[in-house]
Amino acid sequence: MQNDTTLILLAAGSSTRFGLPVKKQWLYQGEDPLWLRVARSFADAAPFPRILVVGQREELECMRLFAPEYDYVAGGESRQASLSNALREVRTPWVLVNDIARCCLDEALLRRILDCKGEADCIAPALPAVDTVYYRDAPVNREEIRLIQTPQLSRTDILRTAIRNGENTDESSAIHRIGGSVLLVEGSANAHKLTTPADLRRLECLKPPGSRTFTGYGLDTHAFEEGKAMVLGGVPIDSPLGFKAHSDGDVALHALIDALLGAAGMGDIGEHFPDNDPRWKGADSGELLEAVAKRIRGCGFEIRNVDLSILAETPRLSPYKTAMRTRIAGILGLPTPRVNVKATTSEKMGFVGRKEGVTVHAVATLGYFNWKEAS
Ligand code: MG
Protein backbone atom coordinates (compact mmCIF):
# COMPACT_ATOMS: atom_id res chain seq x y z
CA MET A 1 0.00 0.00 0.00
CA GLN A 2 1.35 3.43 -0.98
CA ASN A 3 0.01 5.12 2.16
CA ASP A 4 2.20 8.20 1.75
CA THR A 5 1.37 8.80 -1.93
CA THR A 6 -1.61 10.38 -3.69
CA LEU A 7 -2.20 9.58 -7.37
CA ILE A 8 -3.16 12.52 -9.62
CA LEU A 9 -4.53 11.73 -13.07
CA LEU A 10 -4.63 14.69 -15.44
CA ALA A 11 -7.71 14.36 -17.67
CA ALA A 12 -8.79 17.96 -18.25
CA GLY A 13 -7.26 18.56 -21.68
CA SER A 14 -9.43 19.84 -24.52
CA SER A 15 -7.64 17.68 -27.18
CA THR A 16 -7.67 20.60 -29.63
CA ARG A 17 -4.71 19.16 -31.61
CA PHE A 18 -6.06 15.60 -31.57
CA GLY A 19 -8.11 16.15 -34.73
CA LEU A 20 -11.16 14.03 -33.77
CA PRO A 21 -14.49 15.31 -32.33
CA VAL A 22 -13.90 13.34 -29.11
CA LYS A 23 -11.57 14.35 -26.29
CA LYS A 24 -8.86 11.75 -25.60
CA GLN A 25 -10.02 11.10 -22.03
CA TRP A 26 -13.47 10.15 -23.40
CA LEU A 27 -12.41 7.59 -26.01
CA TYR A 28 -14.52 4.59 -25.05
CA GLN A 29 -12.75 1.31 -24.28
CA GLY A 30 -15.53 -1.25 -24.29
CA GLU A 31 -18.06 0.38 -21.92
CA ASP A 32 -15.55 2.58 -20.04
CA PRO A 33 -14.12 5.97 -20.98
CA LEU A 34 -10.33 6.03 -21.26
CA TRP A 35 -9.80 8.12 -18.09
CA LEU A 36 -11.66 5.52 -16.03
CA ARG A 37 -9.70 2.66 -17.53
CA VAL A 38 -6.40 4.39 -16.73
CA ALA A 39 -7.54 5.14 -13.16
CA ARG A 40 -8.50 1.49 -12.64
CA SER A 41 -5.23 0.20 -14.08
CA PHE A 42 -3.26 2.29 -11.56
CA ALA A 43 -5.58 1.34 -8.68
CA ASP A 44 -5.17 -2.36 -9.53
CA ALA A 45 -1.38 -2.14 -9.89
CA ALA A 46 -0.68 -0.28 -6.62
CA PRO A 47 -3.35 0.59 -4.05
CA PHE A 48 -3.20 4.35 -3.44
CA PRO A 49 -5.05 5.80 -0.43
CA ARG A 50 -6.51 8.48 -2.65
CA ILE A 51 -6.89 9.01 -6.39
CA LEU A 52 -7.54 12.55 -7.65
CA VAL A 53 -8.90 12.81 -11.17
CA VAL A 54 -8.59 16.27 -12.72
CA GLY A 55 -11.33 16.85 -15.30
CA GLN A 56 -13.04 19.71 -17.11
CA ARG A 57 -15.35 21.50 -14.68
CA GLU A 58 -18.58 20.72 -16.54
CA GLU A 59 -17.68 17.02 -16.74
CA LEU A 60 -16.91 16.39 -13.07
CA GLU A 61 -20.48 15.49 -12.06
CA CYS A 62 -20.65 12.96 -14.85
CA MET A 63 -17.21 11.52 -14.00
CA ARG A 64 -18.22 11.09 -10.36
CA LEU A 65 -21.18 8.94 -11.44
CA PHE A 66 -18.77 6.53 -13.14
CA ALA A 67 -16.53 6.07 -10.09
CA PRO A 68 -17.63 7.70 -6.80
CA GLU A 69 -14.65 6.10 -5.04
CA TYR A 70 -12.23 8.66 -6.58
CA ASP A 71 -12.04 12.39 -5.87
CA TYR A 72 -12.49 14.93 -8.64
CA VAL A 73 -10.88 18.33 -9.16
CA ALA A 74 -11.66 20.97 -11.80
CA GLY A 75 -8.80 21.56 -14.24
CA GLY A 76 -7.36 24.90 -15.30
CA GLU A 77 -6.26 26.58 -18.53
CA SER A 78 -3.00 24.61 -18.77
CA ARG A 79 -1.52 21.33 -17.58
CA GLN A 80 0.29 23.19 -14.83
CA ALA A 81 -2.84 25.08 -13.70
CA SER A 82 -4.67 21.73 -13.49
CA LEU A 83 -1.83 20.21 -11.49
CA SER A 84 -1.79 23.21 -9.17
CA ASN A 85 -5.54 22.80 -8.48
CA ALA A 86 -5.00 19.14 -7.66
CA LEU A 87 -1.99 19.75 -5.41
CA ARG A 88 -4.18 21.94 -3.19
CA GLU A 89 -6.10 18.77 -2.28
CA VAL A 90 -3.07 16.58 -1.57
CA ARG A 91 -2.30 15.73 2.09
CA THR A 92 0.43 13.08 1.56
CA PRO A 93 4.20 13.77 1.39
CA TRP A 94 4.48 12.13 -2.06
CA VAL A 95 2.44 12.54 -5.21
CA LEU A 96 2.44 10.44 -8.39
CA VAL A 97 1.27 12.39 -11.45
CA ASN A 98 0.21 10.79 -14.73
CA ASP A 99 -1.26 12.24 -17.91
CA ILE A 100 -4.32 10.36 -19.13
CA ALA A 101 -2.78 10.46 -22.63
CA ARG A 102 -0.13 8.05 -21.23
CA CYS A 103 -2.87 5.49 -21.21
CA CYS A 104 -1.11 2.12 -21.33
CA LEU A 105 0.25 1.53 -17.84
CA ASP A 106 3.44 -0.54 -17.65
CA GLU A 107 3.33 -2.11 -14.18
CA ALA A 108 7.07 -2.85 -14.20
CA LEU A 109 7.71 0.85 -14.89
CA LEU A 110 5.41 1.86 -12.04
CA ARG A 111 7.30 -0.52 -9.75
CA ARG A 112 10.69 0.93 -10.83
CA ILE A 113 9.46 4.43 -9.96
CA LEU A 114 7.85 3.56 -6.61
CA ASP A 115 10.90 1.50 -5.57
CA CYS A 116 13.06 4.65 -5.82
CA LYS A 117 10.81 6.69 -3.51
CA GLY A 118 12.98 8.81 -1.20
CA GLU A 119 16.06 8.74 -3.43
CA ALA A 120 15.37 12.14 -5.04
CA ASP A 121 12.80 14.97 -5.01
CA CYS A 122 11.43 13.67 -8.31
CA ILE A 123 11.65 10.24 -9.93
CA ALA A 124 10.85 10.30 -13.64
CA PRO A 125 10.94 7.67 -16.41
CA ALA A 126 13.20 8.45 -19.36
CA LEU A 127 13.98 6.86 -22.72
CA PRO A 128 17.19 7.25 -24.73
CA ALA A 129 16.99 8.96 -28.12
CA VAL A 130 17.12 6.37 -30.90
CA ASP A 131 17.17 8.85 -33.77
CA THR A 132 19.97 11.28 -34.59
CA VAL A 133 19.29 14.51 -32.73
CA TYR A 134 20.01 18.05 -33.96
CA TYR A 135 19.88 21.13 -31.77
CA ARG A 136 19.17 24.06 -34.11
CA ASP A 137 21.46 23.29 -37.10
CA ALA A 138 24.02 20.98 -35.48
CA PRO A 139 23.91 17.34 -34.43
CA VAL A 140 24.41 16.62 -30.73
CA ASN A 141 25.61 13.51 -28.94
CA ARG A 142 22.40 11.52 -28.63
CA GLU A 143 23.92 9.41 -25.83
CA GLU A 144 23.39 12.49 -23.65
CA ILE A 145 19.73 12.91 -24.65
CA ARG A 146 16.86 11.60 -22.51
CA LEU A 147 13.15 11.80 -23.40
CA ILE A 148 11.01 12.19 -20.30
CA GLN A 149 7.68 10.45 -19.72
CA THR A 150 5.04 10.21 -16.99
CA PRO A 151 4.07 8.97 -14.41
CA GLN A 152 6.46 10.89 -12.19
CA LEU A 153 6.78 10.67 -8.43
CA SER A 154 7.49 13.93 -6.58
CA ARG A 155 7.79 15.30 -3.07
CA THR A 156 4.55 17.21 -2.65
CA ASP A 157 5.96 20.30 -0.87
CA ILE A 158 8.85 20.72 -3.34
CA LEU A 159 6.54 20.28 -6.32
CA ARG A 160 4.15 22.89 -4.91
CA THR A 161 7.00 25.39 -4.65
CA ALA A 162 8.41 24.42 -8.05
CA ILE A 163 5.27 25.01 -10.07
CA ARG A 164 4.84 28.50 -8.63
CA ASN A 165 8.10 29.33 -10.44
CA GLY A 166 6.87 29.57 -14.03
CA GLU A 167 5.34 27.30 -16.64
CA ASN A 168 6.80 23.79 -17.15
CA THR A 169 5.82 20.80 -19.26
CA ASP A 170 6.30 18.27 -16.45
CA GLU A 171 7.18 17.91 -12.76
CA SER A 172 10.82 16.92 -13.28
CA SER A 173 11.66 20.10 -15.18
CA ALA A 174 9.83 22.26 -12.61
CA ILE A 175 11.73 20.64 -9.73
CA HIS A 176 15.05 20.73 -11.60
CA ARG A 177 14.59 24.43 -12.27
CA ILE A 178 14.45 25.28 -8.56
CA GLY A 179 17.50 23.14 -7.79
CA GLY A 180 15.69 20.00 -6.64
CA SER A 181 17.10 16.54 -7.34
CA VAL A 182 15.71 14.45 -10.21
CA LEU A 183 16.36 10.73 -10.59
CA LEU A 184 15.71 9.24 -14.02
CA VAL A 185 14.69 5.60 -14.22
CA GLU A 186 14.34 3.49 -17.36
CA GLY A 187 11.15 4.48 -19.23
CA SER A 188 8.84 2.30 -21.28
CA ALA A 189 7.57 2.22 -24.87
CA ASN A 190 4.14 1.56 -23.33
CA ALA A 191 4.23 5.00 -21.72
CA HIS A 192 4.10 6.56 -25.20
CA LYS A 193 1.76 9.54 -25.22
CA LEU A 194 -1.48 9.41 -27.21
CA THR A 195 -1.10 12.55 -29.32
CA THR A 196 -2.49 11.93 -32.82
CA PRO A 197 -5.14 9.56 -34.23
CA ALA A 198 -2.25 7.46 -35.67
CA ASP A 199 -1.23 6.68 -32.05
CA LEU A 200 -4.60 4.96 -31.62
CA ARG A 201 -3.30 2.19 -33.87
CA ARG A 202 0.14 2.12 -32.22
CA LEU A 203 -0.95 1.80 -28.59
CA GLU A 204 -1.59 -1.89 -28.12
CA CYS A 205 -3.49 -1.66 -24.83
CA LEU A 206 -6.43 0.19 -26.43
CA LYS A 207 -9.67 -1.76 -26.86
CA PRO A 208 -12.40 -0.85 -29.38
CA PRO A 209 -15.54 0.91 -28.12
CA GLY A 210 -18.59 -1.14 -27.13
CA SER A 211 -21.58 -1.37 -29.48
CA ARG A 212 -24.37 -0.35 -27.06
CA THR A 213 -26.82 2.37 -28.02
CA PHE A 214 -28.46 4.85 -25.64
CA THR A 215 -31.92 6.39 -25.91
CA GLY A 216 -32.91 9.73 -24.42
CA TYR A 217 -36.30 11.37 -24.13
CA GLY A 218 -37.09 15.09 -23.85
CA LEU A 219 -40.30 17.02 -23.22
CA ASP A 220 -40.93 20.76 -23.18
CA THR A 221 -43.95 23.06 -23.12
CA HIS A 222 -44.10 26.81 -23.71
CA ALA A 223 -47.06 29.20 -23.54
CA PHE A 224 -47.77 31.59 -26.40
CA GLU A 225 -46.90 35.25 -26.07
CA GLU A 226 -48.45 37.79 -28.37
CA GLY A 227 -46.25 39.97 -30.55
CA LYS A 228 -43.08 37.87 -30.14
CA ALA A 229 -41.37 36.31 -33.18
CA MET A 230 -41.94 32.55 -33.33
CA VAL A 231 -39.00 30.22 -33.88
CA LEU A 232 -39.73 26.49 -33.83
CA GLY A 233 -37.38 23.67 -34.78
CA GLY A 234 -34.80 26.34 -35.58
CA VAL A 235 -37.06 27.84 -38.27
CA PRO A 236 -38.87 31.23 -38.21
CA ILE A 237 -42.64 30.60 -38.33
CA ASP A 238 -45.14 33.07 -39.75
CA SER A 239 -47.40 33.61 -36.72
CA PRO A 240 -48.76 36.53 -34.63
CA LEU A 241 -47.71 34.53 -31.53
CA GLY A 242 -44.26 33.69 -30.18
CA PHE A 243 -43.31 31.78 -27.03
CA LYS A 244 -42.99 33.11 -23.50
CA ALA A 245 -39.41 32.28 -22.47
CA HIS A 246 -36.04 33.48 -21.17
CA SER A 247 -34.45 32.37 -24.46
CA ASP A 248 -35.96 32.56 -27.95
CA GLY A 249 -38.45 29.97 -26.68
CA ASP A 250 -37.80 27.32 -29.32
CA VAL A 251 -39.67 24.60 -27.48
CA ALA A 252 -38.79 21.95 -30.11
CA LEU A 253 -35.05 22.46 -29.79
CA HIS A 254 -35.36 22.51 -25.97
CA ALA A 255 -37.09 19.11 -26.00
CA LEU A 256 -34.41 17.85 -28.40
CA ILE A 257 -31.58 19.13 -26.19
CA ASP A 258 -33.08 17.25 -23.23
CA ALA A 259 -33.39 14.08 -25.30
CA LEU A 260 -29.70 14.31 -26.30
CA LEU A 261 -28.53 15.05 -22.76
CA GLY A 262 -30.73 12.24 -21.49
CA ALA A 263 -29.17 9.70 -23.85
CA ALA A 264 -25.66 10.83 -22.86
CA GLY A 265 -26.51 10.70 -19.13
CA MET A 266 -25.59 14.38 -18.86
CA GLY A 267 -28.52 15.89 -16.92
CA ASP A 268 -30.93 18.42 -18.40
CA ILE A 269 -31.00 21.75 -20.24
CA GLY A 270 -31.49 23.76 -17.03
CA GLU A 271 -28.20 22.45 -15.58
CA HIS A 272 -26.25 23.40 -18.70
CA PHE A 273 -28.01 26.72 -19.44
CA PRO A 274 -29.69 28.00 -16.22
CA ASP A 275 -32.57 30.36 -17.04
CA ASN A 276 -31.47 32.79 -14.30
CA ASP A 277 -28.09 33.23 -16.06
CA PRO A 278 -28.08 36.48 -18.09
CA ARG A 279 -25.80 34.81 -20.68
CA TRP A 280 -28.79 32.85 -21.99
CA LYS A 281 -31.30 35.74 -22.10
CA GLY A 282 -32.82 35.77 -25.59
CA ALA A 283 -30.39 32.97 -26.51
CA ASP A 284 -30.60 31.42 -29.95
CA SER A 285 -31.63 27.85 -29.12
CA GLY A 286 -29.84 26.69 -32.28
CA GLU A 287 -26.58 27.78 -30.65
CA LEU A 288 -27.49 25.94 -27.44
CA LEU A 289 -28.22 22.79 -29.45
CA GLU A 290 -24.91 23.12 -31.27
CA ALA A 291 -23.06 23.54 -27.96
CA VAL A 292 -24.78 20.48 -26.50
CA ALA A 293 -23.95 18.36 -29.56
CA LYS A 294 -20.29 19.42 -29.25
CA ARG A 295 -20.26 18.57 -25.54
CA ILE A 296 -21.81 15.14 -26.16
CA ARG A 297 -19.37 14.34 -28.96
CA GLY A 298 -16.49 15.55 -26.82
CA CYS A 299 -17.53 12.95 -24.23
CA GLY A 300 -17.16 10.05 -26.64
CA PHE A 301 -20.62 9.71 -28.21
CA GLU A 302 -21.90 9.97 -31.74
CA ILE A 303 -25.48 10.96 -32.51
CA ARG A 304 -27.30 8.27 -34.50
CA ASN A 305 -30.79 9.77 -35.00
CA VAL A 306 -33.36 12.11 -33.47
CA ASP A 307 -37.14 12.23 -33.73
CA LEU A 308 -39.54 15.00 -32.65
CA SER A 309 -43.33 15.17 -32.19
CA ILE A 310 -44.75 18.68 -32.03
CA LEU A 311 -48.23 19.08 -30.53
CA ALA A 312 -49.77 22.35 -31.70
CA GLU A 313 -53.34 23.39 -32.46
CA THR A 314 -51.95 26.53 -34.07
CA PRO A 315 -50.04 27.53 -36.21
CA ARG A 316 -50.26 24.96 -39.00
CA LEU A 317 -46.80 23.37 -39.15
CA SER A 318 -46.89 20.99 -42.12
CA PRO A 319 -45.36 23.59 -44.49
CA TYR A 320 -42.35 23.91 -42.17
CA LYS A 321 -41.49 20.29 -41.34
CA THR A 322 -38.93 19.80 -44.11
CA ALA A 323 -37.21 23.09 -43.29
CA MET A 324 -37.02 22.04 -39.61
CA ARG A 325 -35.44 18.69 -40.50
CA THR A 326 -32.86 20.37 -42.72
CA ARG A 327 -32.07 23.02 -40.11
CA ILE A 328 -31.72 20.54 -37.21
CA ALA A 329 -29.63 18.18 -39.36
CA GLY A 330 -27.36 21.13 -40.19
CA ILE A 331 -26.91 22.09 -36.55
CA LEU A 332 -26.24 18.50 -35.45
CA GLY A 333 -24.06 17.63 -38.45
CA LEU A 334 -26.32 14.67 -39.30
CA PRO A 335 -27.68 13.47 -42.66
CA THR A 336 -31.25 14.85 -43.01
CA PRO A 337 -32.88 11.37 -43.09
CA ARG A 338 -31.56 10.80 -39.53
CA VAL A 339 -33.69 13.74 -38.30
CA ASN A 340 -37.46 13.28 -38.20
CA VAL A 341 -40.06 15.93 -37.35
CA LYS A 342 -43.74 15.11 -36.83
CA ALA A 343 -46.55 17.60 -36.18
CA THR A 344 -49.98 16.88 -34.76
CA THR A 345 -52.81 18.63 -32.92
CA SER A 346 -54.38 17.52 -29.64
CA GLU A 347 -57.91 17.41 -31.08
CA LYS A 348 -58.91 20.66 -29.26
CA MET A 349 -58.36 19.02 -25.84
CA GLY A 350 -56.23 20.37 -23.00
CA PHE A 351 -54.03 23.51 -23.03
CA VAL A 352 -52.66 22.72 -26.48
CA GLY A 353 -56.23 22.24 -27.76
CA ARG A 354 -57.24 25.60 -26.21
CA LYS A 355 -54.35 27.22 -28.14
CA GLU A 356 -52.52 28.30 -25.00
CA GLY A 357 -49.14 26.91 -26.10
CA VAL A 358 -47.16 24.10 -27.68
CA THR A 359 -45.71 20.85 -26.33
CA VAL A 360 -42.88 18.92 -27.95
CA HIS A 361 -41.65 15.37 -27.29
CA ALA A 362 -38.24 14.29 -28.61
CA VAL A 363 -36.20 11.08 -28.69
CA ALA A 364 -32.50 10.74 -29.49
CA THR A 365 -30.26 7.71 -29.97
CA LEU A 366 -26.51 7.78 -29.34
CA GLY A 367 -23.72 5.24 -29.70
CA TYR A 368 -20.05 5.44 -28.75
CA PHE A 369 -17.88 7.29 -31.24
CA ASN A 370 -16.07 4.59 -33.20
CA TRP A 371 -12.53 5.97 -32.97
CA LYS A 372 -11.17 2.72 -34.41
CA GLU A 373 -12.82 3.48 -37.75
CA ALA A 374 -11.75 7.13 -37.58
CA SER A 375 -8.06 6.42 -36.86
MG1 MG B 1 -38.00 25.44 -22.74
Side-chain angles (χ1 to χ4, degrees):
M1 184 80 172
Q2 303 293 322
N3 273 328
D4 54 358
T5 306
T6 301
L7 173 64
I8 295 177
L9 293 172
L10 298 172
S14 50
S15 301
T16 40
R17 283 157 304 181
F18 190 43
L20 292 179
V22 57
K23 284 172 273 192
K24 288 183 268 188
Q25 58 270 36
W26 289 100
L27 288 162
Y28 268 84
Q29 307 291 297
E31 300 299 325
D32 293 330
L34 185 61
W35 67 265
L36 180 60
R37 190 147 171 266
V38 175
R40 293 224 170 106
S41 65
F42 273 86
D44 291 345
F48 294 91
R50 193 159 175 234
I51 296 179
L52 284 173
V53 180
V54 186
Q56 295 193 354
R57 183 176 296 282
E58 65 273 16
E59 291 166 9
L60 296 182
E61 265 322 298
C62 192
M63 287 177 137
R64 195 171 283 120
L65 294 174
F66 278 95
E69 65 272 32
Y70 307 143
D71 289 319
Y72 297 86
V73 179
E77 286 297 306
S78 62
R79 182 187 187 278
Q80 187 153 313
S82 292
L83 177 58
S84 170
N85 290 354
L87 282 175
R88 258 179 243 131
E89 306 290 321
V90 176
R91 305 284 174 264
T92 53
W94 290 91
V95 63
L96 185 77
V97 181
N98 188 64
D99 296 289
I100 285 294
R102 311 260 182 194
C103 51
C104 299
L105 174 66
D106 180 332
E107 290 193 25
L109 169 65
L110 181 62
R111 187 52 47 209
R112 281 198 290 283
I113 293 167
L114 292 173
D115 283 349
C116 291
K117 190 187 289 176
E119 291 179 26
D121 299 325
C122 178
I123 295 108
L127 286 179
V130 289
D131 298 315
T132 299
V133 181
Y134 272 58
Y135 177 67
R136 296 200 169 138
D137 55 0
V140 297
N141 180 5
R142 74 174 177 201
E143 301 299 320
E144 294 176 7
I145 300 291
R146 290 290 175 275
L147 307 171
I148 307 300
Q149 302 176 310
T150 71
Q152 296 181 12
L153 180 66
S154 304
R155 280 190 203 279
T156 309
D157 52 349
I158 292 179
L159 182 58
R160 274 198 191 107
T161 307
I163 64 168
R164 279 190 220 111
N165 258 287
E167 199 67 24
N168 298 280
T169 51
D170 75 334
E171 298 78 69
S172 76
S173 52
I175 286 176
H176 185 272
R177 185 180 288 182
I178 63 160
S181 56
V182 175
L183 175 68
L184 299 181
V185 298
E186 185 194 343
S188 163
N190 287 337
H192 178 76
K193 190 175 180 184
L194 171 55
T195 309
T196 68
D199 293 326
L200 292 169
R201 291 190 299 267
R202 261 174 81 179
L203 289 164
E204 285 173 6
C205 76
L206 293 177
K207 289 200 306 183
S211 58
R212 272 188 210 180
T213 57
F214 301 87
T215 305
Y217 167 72
L219 166 68
D220 198 20
T221 296
H222 280 230
F224 289 128
E225 181 178 310
E226 248 171 273
K228 197 175 168 188
M230 181 182 285
V231 186
L232 193 61
V235 172
I237 308 286
D238 186 17
S239 164
L241 303 165
F243 294 112
K244 208 174 277 178
H246 184 68
S247 67
D248 63 6
D250 191 329
V251 56
L253 296 196
H254 295 179
L256 178 54
I257 286 171
D258 265 354
L260 288 164
L261 291 171
M266 289 169 71
D268 64 30
I269 188 170
E271 294 168 30
H272 291 258
F273 311 104
D275 63 7
N276 54 10
D277 185 331
R279 270 187 301 168
W280 315 121
K281 180 148 176 58
D284 174 348
S285 298
E287 285 175 19
L288 306 188
L289 178 62
E290 194 177 351
V292 162
K294 189 175 175 213
R295 230 169 254 189
I296 285 171
R297 289 196 169 104
C299 290
F301 292 103
E302 67 187 16
I303 303 167
R304 299 273 166 85
N305 79 297
V306 301
D307 182 27
L308 292 88
S309 283
I310 307 175
L311 266 90
E313 209 69 37
T314 189
R316 221 171 76 75
L317 294 175
S318 54
Y320 298 101
K321 286 196 293 186
T322 303
M324 290 180 192
R325 293 180 76 170
T326 310
R327 172 83 176 118
I328 293 168
I331 295 169
L332 294 179
L334 285 182
T336 313
R338 301 282 81 86
V339 176
N340 196 54
V341 174
K342 310 185 292 296
T344 182
T345 70
S346 74
E347 301 287 342
K348 302 194 166 57
M349 293 179 288
F351 60 83
V352 170
R354 292 190 299 272
K355 301 183 181 173
E356 292 169 12
V358 167
T359 288
V360 180
H361 303 261
V363 175
T365 306
L366 309 181
Y368 297 130
F369 174 70
N370 194 335
W371 53 265
K372 259 208 126 72
E373 271 172 21
S375 65

